[in-house]
Amino acid sequence: RNPTIVRVVGREEVEVGAGRFHAIVVEMRVRDSRHYHGEGIIRIALSDDHCRLLLRLESTVPDAGSASLGLTAYEGAQGDCSAKIR
């Protein structure tokens, strides 16, 4: 329904409440004049390992501002996930 552009921005180190991680950053641009009054941008940081933990999600919407959500803690496959920087 909406033209959406998804691109890999690159790799970077991301610090969230759960720690510091190597991450892959993906950006999604959504054009929808009815909901975004132009273009909405969502940036997603995923851990750079096979677990692909959602580390941070940032959204910017014209006339509405921005929001950021970050991982504060996680349990489970910690031994298998190697993106965390000690």
Side-chain angles (χ1 to χ4, degrees):
R1 180 187 121 180
N2 301 326
T4 302
I5 299 169
V6 178
R7 71 182 184 104
V8 176
V9 176
R11 288 181 160 84
E12 61 185 55
E13 291 182 4
V14 172
E15 185 149 3
V16 291
R20 190 169 182 85
F21 294 81
H22 294 287
I24 297 171
V25 179
V26 177
E27 182 179 84
M28 185 170 76
R29 292 178 176 265
V30 180
R31 291 189 186 133
D32 185 345
S33 59
R34 196 169 50 173
H35 294 101
Y36 293 110
H37 304 289
E39 184 176 67
I41 301 170
I42 300 169
R43 286 177 59 99
I44 303 165
L46 303 167
S47 63
D48 192 5
D49 57 14
H50 75 280
C51 292
R52 298 289 190 251
L53 297 172
L54 177 58
L55 302 173
R56 185 170 55 213
L57 187 137
E58 299 171 322
S59 178
T60 304
V61 179
D63 299 329
S66 60
S68 180
L69 303 170
L71 181 70
T72 56
Y74 69 97
E75 295 180 17
Q78 292 180 352
D80 296 356
C81 299
S82 59
K84 189 167 185 177
I85 301 169
R86 309 245 184 260

